[in-house]
Amino acid sequence: MEKSKIITNTFPVAGMSCASCAVRVDKALNGLPGVESAHVNYASATARVAYRPGECSPGVLKRAVQAAGYDLLTDAEGPAEDEAAHVRAAHYRALKRRTLWAAGLCLPIVAGGMLFMDAPAVKYAVWALSTPVVFGLGREFFVNAWKQLRHGAANMDTLVAVSTGIAYLFSLFNLFFPEFWLSRGIEPHVYFESAAVIVAFILLGRLLEERAKRGTTTAIAKLMGLQPKTVTVITPSGERSVPVAELRAGDLVAVHPGERIAVDGTVAEGASYVDESMLSGEPLPVCKQEGAAVFAGTMNGNGAFRFRTDRVGQDTVLARIIRMVRDAQGSKAPVQRTVDRIAGVFVPAIIVLAVLTFAAWMLFAPEEGFTRGLLALVTVLIIACPCALGLATPTALMVGIGRGAGQGILVKDAASLEVARKVDAVVLDKTGTLTEGRPSVVDAAWAEGSETARRILFSLEKRSGHPLSQAVVESLGGERDVPVTGFESIPGQGVRGVAEGRTWYAGNDALLSRHGIVPDARLQRLAEGWMQEAKTVVWFADEERTLAVLALADALKPSSAGAVARLHALGITVWMLTGDNAGSARETARKAGITRFRAGVLPHEKAGFVRQLQSEGRTVAMAGDGINDSAALAQADLSVAMGQGSDIAMDTAMVTILSSDLRKIPEMIRLSQLTVRTIRQNLFWAFIYNLVAIPVAAGALYPLWGFLLDPMIGGAAMALSSVSVVANSLRLKRRRIGDECEHDEPVETEEKMKKEFIVDGMTCNHCRMHVEHALNALDGVKAVVTLDPPVAAVEYSGPEVGLGELQKAVTERAGEYTLRAR
């Protein structure tokens, strides 16, 4: 069946109370014809179902789940999601009320049972107070147990109902018919307080569990809260506020200062800086001018602009991100299949074990066997906890994947996290991944007194369609255009034109030689140095002499070197593959700190290189743009798509990095290590808890030390086991993933000190170059300045230069630009 004919939806599930419930719903859905796969997440109370619409439908899914004793809210994209949120909120409020009432009633019950139980009147008072706790406040346990029994199943509610029901009925018999035991020489005890306190403890545990689980879903809630409810649409009659649901592609929308953008679109008028950190994880606002793309959920700064809507509703980048995060959080890690099999037989196995415990007491301790055996039976039923097992994996995944989404790292599913943890080789494409992906002027030098000719160079290059000419025009964006006549493009050499009565040339050294122009000696030395660095040199001259030389290159992204150093610190080998020439590749690799690279590699050869690394036993991650490198991405163990993300990249890559920041790759690997470690911790403690607690509850320590666990203590232990697992998962929210190694210790990526400063006042690449040259003129300072974001990355090879001295150099050499700490 073609993938296009399969629909995948995530539906809220109502009525689940433990991991065994999730397993039962999972089996009910997977047993339906037309269902390709179904994954039920107990932690989020959702079911992710892939089905063929010709053979199955949401209605069929709903009926199957209802037949299993639960309910499925099938309108997942609309009102049902709100309804599910309301249901969960109402359930939490009701659970809170029941817990408070149970705790309040248990105080006199425990006081009376422990201090005055020999008084006959007190026994009746304890019975009177326990009854509403067990059968009133604990009514849900008995109702759910009955529903499961009708469907031939059992869950955690069954264990609670059977254990508390037996304790209550046994105590009731002893209260009204004590002679039955006294005639046999046995003191009849009542355990009303145990039954009531067990109910109270379990209610408290579920309340804490629900509260903790709400913390695991904050990533989705935060993302869903990013879209405003109303927008301002421009109509022929003026501005009008409308609900966001009424927007259509092509509408013109006004965005005022401080407003959040509602849908995806393209800026039509105005300009502003937009904070995209909630989507990409990038801290600095991005300049948005006419023609720039804007995205739903991002926050406008102090400017105002209008944009034309491109994608609305479920087609926006934000909506796709929410779907990806929700689907990933609902996916199952490979280890979860084993846990599901255990959870599926856990409750019946515990019931059998409890009965065997009772029989063993009757057999080996006939004098007190019935009473002690009954207590052991109740304690075994109470203390066993499938919920801890069921929560171990999904809660860690939900927190980890949500944490990644908040940092602009979208993980496709749980299996991708497992693979990312094992990565020991990363292959990076050069153009667009390590570098900016387009040529730009990175260095420029002018002959003395020649800078007044900037407008001529601007006007000359503006008339050329060559990519290098466009880069020069961008670097001179603030100049005035002047008339040019006789313009001529000379293939392989450059351009020529007449302006202000003279002939001007812009191109390579062959163009100069052809017209007998001898380069200025100082400019020639600079040009030779730049060419050794694999930069492309463009000369500018008039009829008599050279006036300027500019160096162009596909500049390295500011984050690339740091990302490579971080990967090396994690023990990961980094390779760079490029179709570019060896000189350019060598220089890019040197700047990025990469020692292993291949130049002149064709796209299909990249996939072969990945296979070669895999044949050596390596787990390989490939990072590219998701389209040109598609063969290598498909071959890699872990595919990482970089950039804002095309639809293809977001649909096919195992991990999508929303920003172009390569530092997100080591962050993603670190996140995977922490998440998988948390899953293993949770599973270890969940298994150890049950392996130790159940034998102790059965009385394994009684022959040695005379110790028999009280059922009330068992109830408290069971409640705390689930809470502890969720709390351990929530620790992922507080773990740093960007600056620490395996043991959370800072990693020294380089010996040189680096700092970053925000530069205010830059409006074009010309400004950027002025600021960069001014900073690099200082001794012991190496600076790289970017325009978007407006940041100066300063590296000190000697003593640190203070902000005041840096600002002074910029003011004197570049103009009125302001540096401030980032």
Side-chain angles (χ1 to χ4, degrees), residues 29 212 249 261 267 308 325 463 655 672 686 784:
L29 292 171
I261 296 168
V267 176
R308 189 74 62 180
V325 174
R463 285 156 176 78
V655 177
S672 72
V784 176

Side-chain angles (χ1 to χ4, degrees), residues 154-354:
N155 63 3
M156 191 65 206
D157 289 328
T158 306
L159 298 182
V160 176
V162 170
S163 58
T164 55
I166 289 175
Y168 180 88
L169 293 175
F170 178 63
S171 300
L172 193 64
F173 180 85
N174 290 351
L175 179 64
F176 287 100
F177 305 102
E179 297 83 7
F180 179 84
W181 300 109
L182 292 172
S183 64
R184 291 165 173 77
I186 299 173
E187 180 68 26
H189 296 286
V190 294
Y191 300 99
F192 293 118
E193 75 277 7
S194 294
V197 172
I198 286 169
V199 169
F201 269 133
I202 293 174
L203 286 174
L204 176 62
R206 291 197 175 177
L207 179 69
L208 296 174
E209 181 184 309
E210 285 295 320
R211 185 172 181 178
K213 284 196 297 184
R214 289 164 71 182
T216 66
T217 59
T218 54
I220 289 288
K222 188 179 290 184
L223 287 170
M224 292 182 68
L226 292 179
Q227 189 179 54
K229 301 298 183 185
T230 60
V231 292
T232 304
V233 177
I234 307 301
T235 66
S237 58
E239 294 187 356
R240 184 167 62 93
S241 181
V242 301
V244 70
E246 295 182 11
L247 275 182
R248 298 292 179 266
D251 287 346
L252 187 63
V253 176
V255 181
H256 301 110
E259 285 187 348
R260 202 173 285 280
I261 296 168
V263 296
D264 296 355
T266 304
V267 176
E269 303 173 27
S272 183
Y273 278 89
V274 175
D275 181 359
E276 296 183 343
S277 60
M278 293 303 293
L279 292 183
S280 66
E282 294 295 313
L284 290 179
V286 180
C287 181
K288 298 293 183 180
Q289 298 174 322
E290 187 174 342
V294 292
F295 303 96
T298 56
M299 177 70 79
N300 182 33
N302 294 326
F305 62 91
R306 296 178 177 182
F307 73 93
R308 189 74 62 180
T309 60
D310 296 331
R311 289 179 290 195
V312 299
Q314 295 302 310
D315 297 327
T316 65
V317 170
L318 176 62
R320 296 208 309 276
I321 290 172
I322 291 172
R323 284 200 299 274
M324 284 186 68
V325 174
R326 184 187 289 119
D327 290 346
Q329 288 183 333
S331 64
K332 289 188 179 181
V335 70
Q336 186 65 24
R337 299 187 185 94
T338 302
V339 175
D340 284 348
R341 284 195 292 270
I342 294 172
V345 299
F346 189 92
V347 173
I350 291 301
I351 293 175
V352 171
L353 186 60

Side-chain angles (χ1 to χ4, degrees), residues 607-645:
F609 181 77
V610 172
R611 275 194 298 271
Q612 178 185 330
L613 291 178
Q614 290 170 328
S615 68
E616 298 171 2
R618 294 179 177 273
T619 302
V620 183
M622 171 70 191
D625 62 11
I627 301 173
N628 296 335
D629 303 307
S630 56
L633 286 165
Q635 178 63 41
D637 298 289
L638 183 74
S639 54
V640 182
M642 302 295 298
Q644 191 64 49

Side-chain angles (χ1 to χ4, degrees), residues 480-725:
R480 176 175 56 86
D481 191 17
V482 299
V484 176
T485 59
F487 178 81
E488 180 184 2
S489 179
I490 306 169
Q493 294 185 2
V495 296
R496 176 177 60 190
V498 178
E500 299 181 351
R502 304 175 70 183
T503 303
W504 308 84
Y505 305 92
N508 56 25
D509 51 4
L511 182 67
L512 300 184
S513 300
R514 177 178 174 178
H515 294 90
I517 302 170
V518 179
D520 175 89
R522 181 178 69 86
L523 299 182
Q524 180 67 40
R525 285 194 303 273
L526 289 172
E528 289 173 355
W530 292 338
M531 285 188 286
Q532 289 177 3
E533 296 175 359
K535 296 174 182 176
T536 301
V537 170
V538 173
W539 290 93
F540 175 52
D542 60 12
E543 300 160 333
E544 301 172 355
R545 65 188 183 110
T546 52
L547 304 176
V549 62
L550 298 88
L552 293 90
D554 184 6
L556 193 73
K557 291 178 182 176
S559 62
S560 294
V564 171
R566 178 77 179 103
L567 289 169
H568 285 159
L570 290 171
I572 296 170
T573 305
V574 181
W575 284 85
M576 183 188 77
L577 301 184
T578 179
D580 210 342
N581 61 75
S584 177
R586 185 178 298 105
E587 182 62 20
T588 301
R590 182 189 67 79
K591 290 181 178 179
I594 297 174
T595 57
R596 297 173 173 84
F597 66 91
R598 295 268 179 98
V601 181
L602 299 176
H604 69 276
E605 294 174 333
K606 293 181 181 180
F609 181 77
V610 172
R611 275 194 298 271
Q612 178 185 330
L613 291 178
Q614 290 170 328
S615 68
E616 298 171 2
R618 294 179 177 273
T619 302
V620 183
M622 171 70 191
D625 62 11
I627 301 173
N628 296 335
D629 303 307
S630 56
L633 286 165
Q635 178 63 41
D637 298 289
L638 183 74
S639 54
V640 182
M642 302 295 298
Q644 191 64 49
S646 66
D647 291 350
I648 296 174
M650 293 182 72
D651 289 341
T652 60
M654 298 170 74
V655 177
T656 299
I657 306 296
L658 288 176
S659 70
S660 59
D661 191 344
L662 273 179
R663 289 173 295 191
K664 298 296 181 183
I665 294 179
E667 287 183 16
M668 177 267 299
I669 293 172
R670 172 64 175 162
L671 177 66
S672 72
Q673 292 171 345
L674 288 173
T675 303
V676 172
R677 184 193 301 172
T678 302
I679 290 173
R680 292 182 172 181
Q681 290 171 349
N682 288 348
L683 288 174
F684 172 80
W685 289 113
F687 277 110
I688 287 296
Y689 164 80
N690 282 293
L691 287 175
V692 172
I694 293 172
V696 171
L701 300 181
Y702 189 81
L704 298 175
W705 295 291
F707 176 76
L708 190 62
L709 193 66
D710 190 285
M712 291 187 292
I713 304 300
M718 189 279 290
L720 290 175
S721 66
S722 298
V723 176
S724 64
V725 164

